[in-house]
Amino acid sequence: MYRHFGEVEAAERSPLYERVAVALSESDEALRAIEAAPARKRHPALILAALHDLALAGRAPALAAAYAAADGDAAAAAAIDTLLRMTDSVVTTAAHRQTRTNETGRCAVLYPAIAEAARRVGAHAVGLIDVGCSAGLNLNVDRVGITYSNGPSLGDPSSPVQMTSSTVGDRPVPTRALPEVVARVGIDLDPVDVTDADHARWLRACLWPDAPGHPEQAARLDAEMALSATTPPLLLRGDAVEVLPEAFARVPADTLPVVTTTWALSRFPLERRLRFLHRLDEAAAGRTVAWVSAEGVGVAPAIPTLGDRRASGHSIIGLAVFGQSALRAEAVGRCWSQGRLLAWLADS
């Protein structure tokens, strides 16, 4: 597993992680140390993030120096040494954490889809409920600036968080502004509090230290966390299917609840995905509810697949509106690279 991760998954993105993962695969002592972690917590990305966390915390200076110098051989030696000297710390971190992806391109997908949901039901205010929220950064979708390659800009042009997304296809991304966001609620099994120094450092540790654009990515993550910390969202801990009713209760009655899922439902078995859909339908018994999704082809129940093949390399942007009498579900776009490339399909 470690050799495959290094030679295949990390090879093009991170020469450092390629070298470190292969070195770990060749060290019997390192592999025995990794086996001290629970079986489901031995994935290379998680163990490497735990090691990176120690480097960022100042507890593994040799590893931090090797990463800063982009020295693969030194990083491999330092990673093995750190793992063997601090096995308990690495295993404890891995056991209590999960890797986090913080691709800000998600907002480029969410913004126009949420605005379209509000337009379709005539909503003048929305309450956002993000499932699988991690640190809840998606809940600031209206507080960031987004520029699309075909010209339009959305969101806040003065925000400290600015992002870009490339567009393809004939239909322009709609330029409709989001209505007022009056509630921001995140749901996660293990939510991340960006006002907590250890939690914030973990998000940084999940970034690969020499991936393309790492300095910009790290700076943007810091800006996103600082922005979120100014008005922290409400983060609910637990299984989404069980916690959704509480989340809906936090959205004022005269406000449209918009549930968002971005590459979160693939972690649910089919039965739980259908139960999730049922929860949304239950909530619509007393009010209109919208669901905006960006999931792999065929992952989001009720969202059309447009005839696309599963595992085709892109995702479907879905919009579903649950009313008291009917469900209206539509595929409003396709996206690649978690929102860095977008094709809008819906009529504006």
Side-chain angles (χ1 to χ4, degrees), residues 125-184:
V126 297
L128 303 179
I129 301 172
D130 190 35
V131 171
C133 68
S134 182
L137 301 183
N138 287 346
L139 294 166
N140 291 311
V141 59
D142 60 317
R143 303 175 68 201
V144 305
I146 310 163
T147 301
Y148 297 90
S149 61
N150 62 349
S153 295
L154 297 174
D156 182 358
S158 65
S159 172
V161 179
Q162 297 291 321
M163 64 191 66
T164 60
S165 180
S166 299
T167 55
V168 295
D170 299 330
R171 295 181 187 267
V173 175
T175 57
R176 190 172 300 103
L178 273 179
E180 182 184 7
V181 178
V182 299
R184 305 174 197 269

Side-chain angles (χ1 to χ4, degrees), residues 14-39:
S14 174
L16 281 176
Y17 273 9
E18 176 185 11
R19 182 70 188 90
V20 171
V22 171
L24 291 173
S25 78
E26 295 172 344
S27 168
D28 290 340
E29 288 182 299
L31 294 177
R32 280 195 295 271
I34 292 168
E35 285 180 347

Side-chain angles (χ1 to χ4, degrees), residues 314-334:
H314 69 272
S315 299
I316 300 290
I317 306 168
L319 171 56
V321 176
F322 298 75
Q324 296 185 20
S325 59
L327 162 65
R328 291 172 290 156
E330 181 183 346
V332 295
R334 295 183 177 95

